[in-house]
Amino acid sequence: MTTNNSESSHDFIRDIINDDLRTNKYDGRVHTRFPPEPNGYLHIGHAKSICLNFGIAADFNGLCNLRFDDTNPVKEEQEYIDSIIEDVHWLGFDWEGRLYYASDYFEQMYQYAVQLIEAGKAYVDELSAEEIRDYRGTLTKPGKQSPYRGRSTEENLDLFRRMRAGEFPDGSRVLRAKIDMASRNLNMRDPVMYRILHAGHPRTGDKWCIYPLYDWAHGLEDSIEGITHSICTLEFEDHRPLYDWFLDELDIYHPRQIEFARLNLTCTVLSKRMLLELVQEGRVNGWDDPRMPTISGLRRRGYTPESIRDFARRIGVAKTDSTIDIALLEHSLREDLNRRAQRVMGVLRPLRVVIENYPEGQVEEMDAVNNPEDPGAGMRKVPFSRVLYIEREDFREDPPNKFFRLAPGREVRLRYAYFITCVGVVKDEKTGGVVELRCTYDPATRGGDAPDGRKVKATLHWVSAEHALEAEVRLYDHLFSRENPTDVEGGADFKDYLNPNSLEILTSCRVESGLAGAKPGSRYQFERQGYFCVDPDSSAGKLVFNRTVSLRDTWARIEKRER
Ligand code: ATP
Ligand code: MG
C-alpha cells in the first residue's frame, strides 16, 4: 500500500511560484515547458523534468508546452522527435496542442539579433573557434578583446546578412554578443550567438545556414511562448545572467529561469551522448533495450507510467546534486505492480515431476486467486495432471540446513493443488544430472490443506506439462556493475564497467496455459519469481517475457535497516 495517493508535491520551485502568484508577477499565470533537443531518446532523468514541468502546470491550473529545441541540425532526427512525442504521452501528460519547435522561431530570432547589432550589442567575429577559446581567458585570467569587436554597426549588419545568405564557409565567422571580456562569469565574455553551418535541418531544410546557440535561443523561445517559469538543470545556473542579459537588452517579455538538480541514478548513465554510444556500438539492442534507462526501454521492460510518476514524486526536487539508488525506482515499480499485476505460475528452469499415484489421463481444474491485493480480480482455473514441471532450484538431493523445499522423502505443497512427497529421483546415466522426480500425492489435501492438520514447510509453483506453454524469458540485471560508471579511473571508459551479466536468456520456460495469446505489454506476477511483461518479440507460436523486476525489494530492506 502506498502511504500517499496524491501525485502533487511541495518544493522550492512551487514556493517560488506561490510567491509570484501572491505578487501577481505574471498576471497570475503559470506556464512551463519541457524543451528536449531531439538528438536522442528520452531517459528517466527527462521523466523527472517532465513530471516537474507538467506537474506544476497541473497543480497551479497552468499550462505546459512541449517544445523541441531543434537548433543543431547535425545531431537531430525525426525518429527522435517521434519517440519523444510517444514517450511524453505514455508518461501520461498532454500539451493540449501546444507542440512547438524552436526552428519555427528562426526568423524572429534573426530579427532580434539584428536589433542587438543595431543597438551596438553584437558583432560579427572572424576569429577561428580555437582563437575564440584562447581569447576567452580563464577563471583566473581575464579575456582579450577580438580585433573585430570594434566594427561599425553597418559593417556588422552587412556581414550578418551575408552570413545568412550563405556567402561564407562553415566556421569562418560567428555573431557574438558584445558584453564584457573581463567578466568573472565566463559565459558573459562575448558569447557566440550564431554559427555558420551548411547543413540541412529536419524541418527547415536548406532555408538556413546559420544556427543559433543554446544560450541565445533558449530565452527567446521562452519569451516568444510567454513562459513564466523556465525550469532547467543546475549546470545552467551560471548561464542565467546571460539568459537575463539577452532579454533585458532586447527589452522583451522576460520569464524567470529556475535551476534544479538533475537526476543521477546508480548503476546506469543518464546522458544521451553515452546512451547513443551504447546503441551505436551495439553494446545494447537499441534505444528500447529493456536494460536501458530510456523511457522506451523502461516501457518495454514492463515499467508502468504510474510507477515512474510515483518515483518522481518520491525523489522530489532539490538544489544540490545527488545520486538516487536505483533500488528506489524498483521499489516504486513493485508497489504499483503488486497492486495491479495478475498472478500466474511460470517455471523458469523446469524439472519434470511424475505423480505416480495420480491416474493417467486425469485432469483437474484447480481454483487459483488472480490477485490477493485486488479481490475484484477474481479467480481462474489451472489444470493439474500426472506430469508436472516444478522449478529446478526447488529440489535438492542433499538439502543443506534451512533448505525446506523438495528433497527425497520430503513432503511439500503445490500451490492451489496437493501435498506431494518425493519418492524417487531419475538421473541421466551419463551426466548424473537429475532429469525427473517421482512423487506421490495425497488426494485428501486438495486445495492445499491437510485435514489431519499436518504442516509442510514449503509451497512450490508448478505447471501441468501437457497444458503448459513454452516461453522464452529474458532476465535482466543492472546495465553497469559499478554504482557510478562515469567515475572512471586511469584511462578507463564508462563502457569498461558494463555488467557482462546484465542479460540472461532462458529458452525453455513453461507458463500456465491461460497465457496463450497474451498481448505484448501485458504484465504478470509469476509467483515467487517476480514481475514479467510480454515482449513485442513474441510470436503466435512462442511467448517471450521480460522479467521487469524480481520480488525482492532491496529498498524496503534498506529503509528497514535505517529505521
Ligand atoms: P543529456 O544530458 O542526457 O544529453 P540534455 O540536458 O542534453 O540531456 P535536453 O534534451 O536538453 O537533454 O533536455 C530536456 C530537458 O530535460 C532539459 O530541461 C533538461 O534540463 C532536462 N533533463 C535532462 N537530463 C536530466 C536529468 N538527468 N534530470 C533532470 N532533468 C533532466
Ligand atoms: Mg541539452
Side-chain angles (χ1 to χ4, degrees):
M1 284 297 286
T2 114
T3 46
N4 184 358
N5 291 324
S6 156
E7 290 197 12
S8 66
S9 334
H10 181 88
D11 53 63
F12 77 96
I13 298 181
R14 286 169 166 89
D15 285 345
I16 291 173
I17 294 175
N18 271 318
D19 281 346
D20 289 346
L21 286 174
R22 241 188 319 276
T23 59
N24 209 30
K25 187 161 169 202
Y26 302 100
D27 306 323
R29 289 186 311 118
V30 174
H31 200 153
T32 56
R33 86 284 174 263
F34 173 65
E37 184 183 353
N39 60 352
Y41 280 60
L42 297 181
H43 53 60
I44 182 79
H46 294 112
K48 174 178 180 179
S49 175
I50 293 168
C51 291
L52 181 60
N53 280 293
F54 281 94
I56 282 175
D59 288 357
F60 291 95
N61 223 340
L63 306 171
C64 180
N65 298 352
L66 175 59
R67 179 206 306 148
F68 288 104
D69 202 358
D70 56 347
T71 52
N72 181 6
V74 185
K75 293 188 169 164
E76 296 164 5
E77 288 174 28
Q78 188 61 39
E79 176 192 346
Y80 299 142
I81 293 179
D82 296 340
S83 73
I84 290 168
I85 288 176
E86 180 183 3
D87 289 350
V88 178
H89 256 319
W90 179 79
L91 278 173
F93 299 105
D94 185 10
W95 45 91
E96 299 162 321
R98 288 181 312 278
L99 171 64
Y100 301 124
Y101 293 86
S103 55
D104 287 342
Y105 312 141
F106 281 172
E107 182 62 40
Q108 172 84 68
M109 290 177 186
Y110 180 85
Q111 297 304 334
Y112 281 141
V114 167
Q115 193 182 320
L116 275 195
I117 295 173
E118 285 171 341
K121 301 285 183 182
Y123 62 99
V124 173
D125 197 358
E126 290 174 43
L127 293 180
S128 68
E130 201 182 318
E131 287 167 324
I132 289 180
R133 218 174 303 125
D134 253 23
Y135 277 49
R136 201 160 163 241
T138 63
L139 283 174
T140 51
K141 204 175 91 197
K144 213 163 62 175
Q145 296 196 352
S146 163
Y148 302 97
R149 197 177 200 257
R151 287 199 218 265
S152 70
T153 299
E154 288 66 40
E155 197 183 353
N156 279 316
L157 285 172
D158 180 58
L159 285 170
F160 188 47
R161 182 187 54 74
R162 289 166 61 195
M163 277 171 65
R164 173 181 184 168
E167 287 187 28
F168 307 120
D170 289 2
S172 62
R173 282 166 183 77
V174 292
L175 184 73
R176 297 179 73 173
K178 195 190 272 188
I179 309 181
D180 178 7
M181 289 306 289
S183 173
R184 285 172 51 197
N185 184 339
L186 292 177
N187 296 305
M188 301 299 274
R189 295 185 186 173
D190 290 10
V192 174
M193 297 161 60
Y194 277 95
R195 56 185 172 148
I196 302 174
L197 206 59
H198 291 267
H201 185 282
R203 289 180 56 83
T204 58
D206 293 332
K207 181 154 185 239
W208 294 90
C209 62
I210 55 171
Y211 289 96
L213 271 84
Y214 180 90
D215 283 331
W216 163 242
H218 204 83
L220 300 182
E221 297 160 21
D222 289 339
S223 175
I224 291 168
E225 292 178 14
I227 300 304
T228 56
H229 301 86
S230 175
I231 302 168
C232 62
T233 42
L234 274 186
E235 65 270 25
F236 291 101
E237 195 169 13
D238 290 343
H239 297 240
R240 189 178 352 116
L242 182 53
Y243 181 100
D244 292 334
W245 188 88
F246 282 130
L247 298 175
D248 285 341
E249 292 300 327
L250 290 168
D251 195 21
I252 56 177
Y253 170 74
H254 195 148
R256 171 170 182 177
Q257 174 179 306
I258 304 171
E259 309 85 18
F260 73 102
R262 64 190 296 115
L263 170 66
N264 301 300
L265 260 192
T266 57
C267 303
T268 193
V269 293
L270 297 183
S271 145
K272 282 189 280 190
R273 181 183 60 75
M274 290 179 184
L275 295 174
L276 177 64
E277 233 174 285
L278 297 178
V279 172
Q280 283 178 337
E281 293 181 15
R283 307 292 191 114
V284 293
N285 302 314
W287 285 101
D288 71 343
D289 186 307
R291 290 168 292 180
M292 290 278 271
T294 51
I295 308 292
S296 51
L298 296 172
R299 175 165 64 235
R300 185 164 181 177
R301 174 87 168 247
Y303 274 75
T304 59
E306 291 82 356
S307 64
I308 295 174
R309 295 203 302 264
D310 178 68
F311 170 70
R313 185 186 55 75
R314 282 172 194 261
I315 59 176
V317 284
K319 272 191 272 198
T320 40
D321 273 315
S322 66
T323 300
I324 304 290
D325 192 327
I326 198 166
L328 179 60
L329 176 63
E330 294 172 349
H331 177 71
S332 288
L333 176 64
R334 285 190 185 94
E335 282 216 338
D336 189 35
L337 291 177
N338 181 44
R339 279 190 296 268
R340 67 164 79 210
Q342 186 191 317
R343 275 57 169 170
V344 296
M345 291 193 282
V347 177
L348 302 187
R349 297 172 181 86
L351 174 59
R352 207 175 127 92
V353 173
V354 177
I355 313 286
E356 292 184 335
N357 58 339
Y358 195 84
E360 301 252 10
Q362 178 172 310
V363 178
E364 282 174 274
E365 298 284 333
M366 300 305 188
D367 291 313
V369 176
N370 283 336
N371 186 350
E373 300 291 322
D374 176 10
M379 307 279 292
R380 70 185 185 286
K381 301 283 186 192
V382 182
F384 184 90
S385 66
R386 181 178 152 91
V387 183
L388 312 168
Y389 288 114
I390 63 165
E391 207 67 63
R392 197 159 267 282
E393 66 179 25
D394 281 339
F395 172 78
R396 289 284 191 91
E397 198 171 10
D398 294 308
N401 272 349
K402 296 197 178 160
F403 182 91
F404 298 119
R405 292 166 274 169
L406 200 56
R410 191 179 285 173
E411 185 172 52
V412 297
R413 174 190 294 110
L414 293 181
R415 180 87 156 144
Y416 300 126
Y418 293 105
F419 285 11
I420 62 167
T421 303
C422 180
V423 295
V425 180
V426 181
K427 294 184 180 173
D428 184 294
E429 279 177 12
K430 288 200 196 90
T431 66
V434 176
V435 293
E436 184 181 290
L437 301 182
R438 310 294 294 189
C439 295
T440 57
Y441 84 117
D442 176 356
T445 58
R446 191 177 198 279
D449 281 309
D452 61 5
R454 78 181 183 278
K455 300 284 179 215
V456 288
K457 284 195 169 151
T459 300
L460 310 186
H461 60 277
W462 53 275
V463 292
S464 162
E466 78 172 281
H467 300 93
L469 308 171
E470 217 179 307
E472 174 179 319
V473 171
R474 299 170 184 171
L475 304 177
Y476 300 102
D477 196 355
H478 297 143
L479 186 51
F480 289 89
S481 38
R482 283 209 167 192
E483 288 216 339
N484 183 358
T486 56
D487 184 12
V488 293
E489 295 153 12
D493 177 272
F494 76 98
K495 286 170 291 181
D496 295 340
Y497 305 128
L498 277 165
N499 176 4
N501 304 314
S502 59
L503 170 62
E504 183 184 0
I505 301 179
L506 305 175
T507 52
S508 49
C509 312
R510 297 286 194 288
V511 299
E512 269 183 52
S513 51
L515 294 187
K519 298 272 176 301
S522 311
R523 304 182 183 92
Y524 300 93
Q525 184 195 98
F526 289 7
E527 296 208 16
R528 302 174 64 224
Q529 294 292 7
Y531 295 98
F532 295 74
C533 171
V534 180
D535 190 84
D537 282 349
S538 296
S539 61
K542 183 151 185 179
L543 283 168
V544 177
F545 289 93
N546 296 310
R547 180 155 72 184
T548 310
V549 68
S550 68
L551 292 177
R552 205 180 50 234
D553 191 337
T554 52
W555 182 260
R557 283 194 310 184
I558 291 168
E559 271 189 338
K560 207 164 146 196
R561 199 175 338 128
E562 282 172 0
R563 269 203 303 273

